[in-house]
């Protein structure tokens, strides 16, 4: 057998897998092949989206389920033994795996990231692949796990039998936490972006520690009632009868898993602190959800609980570790044992990317000074000074401004989807109510269909709060628009929220990240792949802050009367480096809650206008640029193909043109939108081949029909007869009608007009079999693109 003629998969099955099995690995329990561990980034182009390629490892080797310790990257035998190493090291870094192998079937190149071997890289024969025991011992040495700790981390994950596996980063977080606890670490911090499954991760951590009997009594603390109930009814459900929720300030010490709202176990009066009814050593483990919300402040109620149960292990979960003069999550818990950021989540395709529509008003930016002696709507004398953005809806309410925000939101919804779930973040409850009224008046038809089309969902209003579950339920159509101030900032799992409106002065990066997190969940069943942020108070300038790690797809600032929907020819930006003035007064305002009552002037007599600005998005180098679909495609293609000859060679060599078409779609070429734009100018339907040659290399394009006619003129079919000739003539007509991808799919033979010529198996026989049929298709494609 000529090893050089074998495919990569053949090398895997004939050489690599047998070598691994011979070394003692259980191929069913310890080895997984062709593992896609990311989803592929969602690439947004106008109204369309596509997915990039997922990251796929050829082999992942496990000590036990969900505990990976080695990665193998395979290449065919035309490559050297180490050709896959750099790719494999990238996978190993993501998967938190210390042992990395590359192979071409002749042997292995072994890279040891653990530092436990004599040297970093070693070449091994096929029969020298390390055994599971050898790699596990070296793994434990790397992690600092003694024999007792090794036994502790052996507890399995919870398996519900559905085949659901944790995502790779969830496994990393769970394993790192369980290992830290096994080593005796008593304070552990996990940082995971909103929407990445913190509660499920917490459940698996608790399950493994509970099942291994390391931690017998566990307290899970959250700061919102809805979070406790969601946790109890969903992710924590497998705990069953061992679990209880602390309610009505009553305790029962017969349970093992306790869930509590932290307010339910604390209070101002000593006798209200019911947690003291538990003995100090009652709990072995306390898990604090959203631990940025004050648990690390020395004078907070959470810290009282943690100090009382100081003998327990404390695990903090947050999307946004808080680091201020007053509060430090890291000072309390130490550095995170694992972090998974918004940027990583978007890159991996687990979180939704987002566009930004930024709208600035004249009074916000240019300022407004009242005429001397001017009274507001309520007869208050307005203090004589210049009011600007930092005053809006805090010390100065301009009713026309509220109306214009509501108008822009309504225009956006009407132009895209009037039923996309929308959260409007306002400065306070009064502002949220004014915004609700304005939106109701601008959407009378929708409100007539259902009065709950717009609802104010704030902490003080029972009917609105009661609708929160319906708002976050993908199957419930109403409410569509929720106006709020603080209630929906965290813990609201709004999977189908597609529009977030910022008309709030955002005080901190922590709060900003939490608000953005309301839209980052993906729900493919309901068509939610990305979302839009409409910003009226310059909050999105925080994107420029190094503390923010997820870049927007596009930033768009409509001019004058332009619609608030970004045009389709605005494309993806990769980074932001513009300067930010998003600090200072704008973000430090404490509002009514600070204890100091302010006068709020209400003005009903001055107009507000949108200031004209350019359409823009942040390009890869951080500069503000505007780019068309045409220009983006050109840049994208020229990045992949050095010249027209390079492209023609790749196109000609490809066994299936569809492979190149799909590859370029994964890089962000939106074929449908590109064809629509170019064909409008050319006046004829074009093949992807001609689209690329024309857009990227300035070649005059031929239509599919013109290419098909050229083939006929050359009398290409003369060498074929009977059914074979009929099939090829019909395939050429199909190409002219629908394009190259359809004629490459052998299933086309099941359709008319082919089914009238004969059964698929007979038609393939007319070419001497499948190999002959594939050869004929290849030659037909050569003839189509000969010019």
């Amino acid at each position: 057998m000529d090893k050089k003629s074998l495919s990569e998969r053949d090398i895997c099955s004939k050489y690599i897998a047998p070598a691994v099995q011979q070394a003692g690995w259980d191929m069913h329990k310890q080895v997984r092949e062709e593992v896609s561990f990311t989803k592929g980034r969602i690439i947004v182009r106008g109204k369309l989206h596509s997915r990039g390629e997922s990251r796929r490892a050829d082999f992942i080797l496990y000590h036990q389920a969900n505990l990976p310790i080695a990665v193998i990257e395979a290449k065919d035998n035309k490559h050297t033994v180490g050709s896959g190493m750099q790719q494999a090291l990238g996978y190993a870094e993501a998967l938190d795996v210390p042992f990395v192998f590359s192979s071409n079937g002749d042997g292995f190149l072994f890279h040891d990231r653990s530092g436990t071997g004599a040297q970093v890289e070693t070449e091994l024969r096929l029969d020298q692949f390390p055994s599971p025991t050898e790699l596990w011992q070296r793994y434990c040495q790397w992690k600092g796990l003694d024999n007792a700790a090794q036994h502790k981390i052996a507890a399995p994950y919870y398996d519900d039998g559905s085949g659901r596996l944790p995502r790779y980063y969830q496994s990393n977080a769970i394993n790192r936490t369980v290992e830290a606890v096994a080593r005796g670490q008593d304070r552990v911090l996990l940082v995971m972006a909103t929407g990445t499954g913190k509660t499920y991760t917490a459940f698996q951590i608790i399950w493994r520690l509970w099942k291994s009997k390391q931690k017998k009594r566990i307290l899970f603390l959250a700061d919102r009632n809805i979070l406790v109930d969601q946790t109890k009814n969903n992710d924590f459900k497998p705990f069953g009868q061992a679990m209880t929720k602390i309610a009505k300030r009553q305790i029962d010490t017969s349970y093992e898993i306790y869930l509590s709202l932290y307010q339910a176990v604390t209070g101002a009066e000593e006798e209200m602190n019911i947690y003291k009814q538990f003995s100090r050593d009652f709990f072995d483990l306390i898990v604090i959800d959203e631990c940025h919300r004050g648990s690390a402040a020395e004078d907070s109620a959470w810290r009282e609980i943690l100090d009382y149960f100081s003998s327990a292990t404390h695990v903090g979960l947050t999307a946004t570790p808080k680091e201020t003069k007053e509060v430090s999550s890291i000072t309390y818990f130490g550095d995170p044992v694992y972090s998974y950021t918004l940027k990583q989540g978007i890159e991996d395709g687990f979180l939704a990317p987002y566009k930004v529509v930024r709208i600035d008003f004249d009074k916000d930016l240019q300022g407004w000074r009242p005429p001397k002696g001017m009274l507001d709507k309520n007869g208050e004398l307005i203090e004589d000074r210049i009011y600007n953005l930092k005053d809006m809806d805090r010390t100065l309410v301009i009713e026309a401004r509220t109306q214009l925000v509501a108008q822009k939101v309504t225009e956006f919804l009407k132009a895209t989807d009037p039923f996309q779930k929308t959260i409007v973040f306002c400065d306070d409850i009064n502002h949220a109510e004014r915004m609700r009224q304005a939106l109701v008046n601008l959407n009378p038809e929708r409100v007539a269909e259902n009065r709950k089309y717009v609802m104010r969902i704030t902490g003080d209003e029972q009917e609105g709060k009661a609708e929160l579950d319906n708002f976050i339920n993908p199957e419930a159509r109403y409410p569509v628009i929720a106006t709020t101030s603080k209630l929906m900032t965290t813990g609201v799992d709004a999977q189908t929220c597609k529009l977030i409106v910022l008309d709030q002065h955002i005080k901190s990066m922590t709060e900003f990240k939490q608000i953005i997190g309301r839209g980052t969940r993906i729900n493919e069943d309901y068509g939610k792949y990305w979302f839009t942020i409409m910003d009226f108070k310059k909050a999105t300038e925080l994107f420029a802050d190094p503390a923010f790690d997820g870049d927007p797809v596009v930033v768009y600032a409509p001019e004058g009367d332009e619609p608030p929907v970004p045009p389709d020819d605005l494309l993806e930006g990769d980074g932001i480096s513009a300067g930010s003035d998003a600090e200072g007064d704008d973000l430090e305002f404490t509002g009514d809650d600070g204890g100091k009552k302010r006068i709020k002037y209400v003005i009903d007599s001055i107009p507000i206008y949108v200031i004209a600005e350019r359409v823009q998005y942040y390009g890869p180098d951080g500069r503000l640029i505007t780019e068309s679909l045409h220009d983006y495609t050109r840049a994208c293609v020229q990045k992949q193909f050095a010249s027209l000859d390079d492209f023609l060679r790749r196109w000609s060599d490809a066994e299936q043109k569809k492979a190149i078409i799909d590859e370029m779609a994964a890089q962000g070429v939106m074929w449908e939108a590109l064809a629509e734009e170019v064909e409008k100018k050319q006046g004829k339907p074009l093949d992807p081949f001609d689209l690329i040659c024309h857009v990227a290399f300035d070649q005059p394009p031929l239509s599919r029909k013109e290419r098909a006619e050229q083939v006929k003129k050359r009398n290409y079919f003369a060498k074929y007869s009977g059914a074979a000739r009929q099939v090829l003539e019909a395939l050429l007509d199909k190409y002219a009608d629908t394009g190259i991808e359809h004629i490459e799919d052998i299933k086309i033979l099941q359709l008319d007009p082919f089914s009238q010529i004969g059964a698929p198996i007979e038609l393939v026989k007319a070419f001497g079999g499948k190999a002959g049929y594939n050869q004929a298709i290849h030659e037909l494609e050569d003839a189509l693109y000969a010019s």
Side-chain angles (χ1 to χ4, degrees), residues 199-216:
T199 313
Y200 171 74
T201 302
F203 161 71
Q204 289 286 10
I205 290 167
I206 294 169
W207 180 269
R208 291 181 66 195
L209 294 174
W210 183 57
K211 280 293 181 181
S212 63
K213 303 198 186 310
Q214 290 178 73
K215 306 295 176 186
K216 296 177 182 175

Side-chain angles (χ1 to χ4, degrees), residues 261-327:
L261 194 67
Y262 86 88
Q263 295 93 331
V265 293
T266 61
E269 301 297 326
E270 184 66 23
E271 65 270 14
M272 290 177 70
N273 290 323
I274 67 155
Y275 64 85
K276 293 185 178 177
Q277 294 177 43
F278 294 106
S279 63
R280 284 182 175 272
D281 60 357
F282 185 83
F283 292 110
D284 308 304
L285 173 68
I286 300 178
V287 178
I288 308 100
D289 194 22
E290 305 290 0
C291 70
H292 65 278
R293 295 181 64 82
S295 62
E298 289 186 22
D299 60 348
S300 77
W302 296 51
R303 267 296 281 274
E304 287 179 36
I305 302 172
L306 299 186
D307 289 343
Y308 184 78
F309 298 115
S310 58
S311 63
T313 300
H314 301 161
V315 175
L317 303 170
T318 182
T320 50
K322 186 176 277 190
E323 295 304 312
T324 67
K325 288 176 185 173
E326 293 77 31
V327 177

Side-chain angles (χ1 to χ4, degrees), residues 715-733:
N715 202 19
Y716 170 76
F717 300 117
K719 59 179 178 177
Y720 294 97
S721 60
R725 179 165 181 157
Q726 284 180 275
V727 167
L728 287 171
E729 286 175 341
L731 283 170
L732 194 61
D733 290 339

Side-chain angles (χ1 to χ4, degrees), residues 546-672:
F548 194 84
D549 69 346
D551 303 326
V553 167
V554 58
V555 175
Y556 165 60
E559 297 182 10
D561 294 331
E562 284 187 339
V565 182
D568 288 347
D569 62 355
L570 276 183
L571 299 170
E572 174 143 359
D574 292 319
I576 292 185
S577 62
S580 170
D581 61 0
E583 296 180 1
D585 290 339
D586 219 347
L587 297 175
E588 295 302 319
F589 177 72
T590 56
D592 283 326
D593 301 330
K596 182 182 172 185
K597 187 67 177 170
R598 66 176 183 261
I599 296 174
K600 191 183 284 187
Y601 303 113
V602 181
I603 311 283
D604 61 353
S605 56
I606 60 171
I608 289 275
Y609 302 102
V610 173
I611 287 182
E613 288 190 3
R614 65 191 182 281
V615 175
Q616 57 192 203
Y617 82 99
Y618 288 99
D621 58 359
R623 289 184 299 113
L624 288 170
I625 55 174
T626 304
E627 188 173 57
S628 69
L629 185 62
H630 185 285
D631 292 340
Y632 176 82
T633 305
R634 186 184 185 100
C636 188
V637 172
Q638 289 178 354
K639 205 182 289 180
Q640 283 182 278
F641 305 104
S643 63
L644 174 61
D645 286 343
D646 187 24
F647 170 69
L648 294 175
R649 191 163 47 250
R650 278 281 307 279
W651 186 267
S652 175
D653 291 348
E655 283 186 29
Q656 283 210 320
K657 314 306 177 201
K658 186 179 185 301
I660 294 182
I661 294 167
D662 289 347
E663 180 187 328
M664 294 176 74
Q667 298 302 318
V669 174
M670 296 299 276
W671 291 109
E672 190 181 329

Side-chain angles (χ1 to χ4, degrees), residues 38-54:
T38 70
K39 293 272 283 183
R41 183 182 183 181
I42 293 172
I43 302 161
V44 181
R45 301 280 178 264
K47 296 186 184 75
L48 303 173
H49 72 273
S50 65
R51 273 205 187 265
E53 291 180 5
S54 62

Side-chain angles (χ1 to χ4, degrees), residues 447-509:
V447 174
E449 288 168 14
N450 191 305
R451 69 176 180 84
K452 294 180 180 177
Y453 180 76
V454 186
M455 293 290 288
R456 171 166 63 91
I457 301 179
T458 50
D460 70 318
E461 214 271 332
Q462 286 308 312
E463 188 177 6
K465 268 207 303 193
E467 290 299 324
L468 185 54
D469 284 349
N470 287 328
F471 181 81
I472 63 179
N473 180 0
E475 294 181 10
R477 190 170 208 185
Y478 300 101
V480 174
I481 306 172
T483 69
T484 190
S485 57
K486 295 288 183 286
L487 183 66
M488 298 174 74
T489 304
T490 60
V492 176
D493 189 6
Q495 296 173 25
T496 52
C497 178
K498 292 185 180 178
L499 178 61
I500 287 176
V501 180
L502 303 178
D503 198 25
Q504 182 182 99
H505 295 87
I506 310 292
K507 304 173 194 173
S508 68
M509 180 59 74

Side-chain angles (χ1 to χ4, degrees), residues 320-542:
T320 50
K322 186 176 277 190
E323 295 304 312
T324 67
K325 288 176 185 173
E326 293 77 31
V327 177
S328 172
S329 304
I330 289 172
T331 300
Y332 183 79
F333 289 102
D335 289 325
V337 294
Y338 186 70
S339 293
Y340 187 71
T341 65
L342 175 67
K343 192 171 193 173
Q344 288 171 288
I346 292 173
E347 193 61 41
D348 287 343
F350 294 121
L351 295 179
Y354 48 93
K355 300 180 180 186
V356 175
V357 177
R358 202 148 70 194
I359 298 174
D360 296 324
F361 298 144
D362 59 340
K363 304 295 187 294
D364 293 358
L365 301 195
Q366 296 167 358
W368 173 77
R369 184 176 181 179
K372 192 173 181 183
M374 182 177 178
L375 303 179
D376 79 345
K377 184 179 177 181
N378 301 317
E380 291 276 356
L381 177 64
I382 303 171
E383 182 187 348
D384 182 16
R385 66 176 178 83
I386 294 171
Y387 296 83
N388 56 28
L389 181 61
K390 70 184 182 198
D391 298 298
M392 296 301 164
D393 300 299
R394 299 193 300 185
T395 53
L396 184 72
V397 173
I398 299 177
E399 291 185 345
R401 190 187 181 285
T402 308
Q403 187 69 19
L404 192 50
V405 170
Q407 182 184 320
K408 289 295 174 186
V409 172
T410 300
E411 285 173 13
F412 184 91
L413 291 172
K414 284 181 176 174
T416 51
D417 171 13
F419 288 97
Q420 61 191 299
K421 299 277 184 167
T422 299
I423 306 176
V424 186
F425 285 97
C426 302
D427 269 308
D428 53 30
I429 288 168
N430 173 273
H431 186 194
E433 175 55 24
R434 285 187 286 110
M435 191 61 68
R436 183 197 68 79
Q437 291 173 26
L439 286 163
V440 164
N441 288 330
L442 285 165
N443 293 274
E445 292 175 11
R446 301 290 174 208
V447 174
E449 288 168 14
N450 191 305
R451 69 176 180 84
K452 294 180 180 177
Y453 180 76
V454 186
M455 293 290 288
R456 171 166 63 91
I457 301 179
T458 50
D460 70 318
E461 214 271 332
Q462 286 308 312
E463 188 177 6
K465 268 207 303 193
E467 290 299 324
L468 185 54
D469 284 349
N470 287 328
F471 181 81
I472 63 179
N473 180 0
E475 294 181 10
R477 190 170 208 185
Y478 300 101
V480 174
I481 306 172
T483 69
T484 190
S485 57
K486 295 288 183 286
L487 183 66
M488 298 174 74
T489 304
T490 60
V492 176
D493 189 6
Q495 296 173 25
T496 52
C497 178
K498 292 185 180 178
L499 178 61
I500 287 176
V501 180
L502 303 178
D503 198 25
Q504 182 182 99
H505 295 87
I506 310 292
K507 304 173 194 173
S508 68
M509 180 59 74
T510 298
E511 190 172 10
F512 181 59
K513 281 188 175 183
Q514 290 288 341
I515 286 174
I516 299 308
R518 298 314 101 212
T520 52
R521 285 168 175 80
I522 293 169
N523 190 316
E524 297 186 13
D525 293 341
Y526 290 87
K528 161 75 184 297
Y529 293 92
W530 49 276
F531 67 106
T532 303
I533 300 165
M534 288 187 84
D535 179 19
F536 294 94
K537 286 198 171 138
K538 285 186 168 288
T540 52
E541 288 187 344
L542 282 169

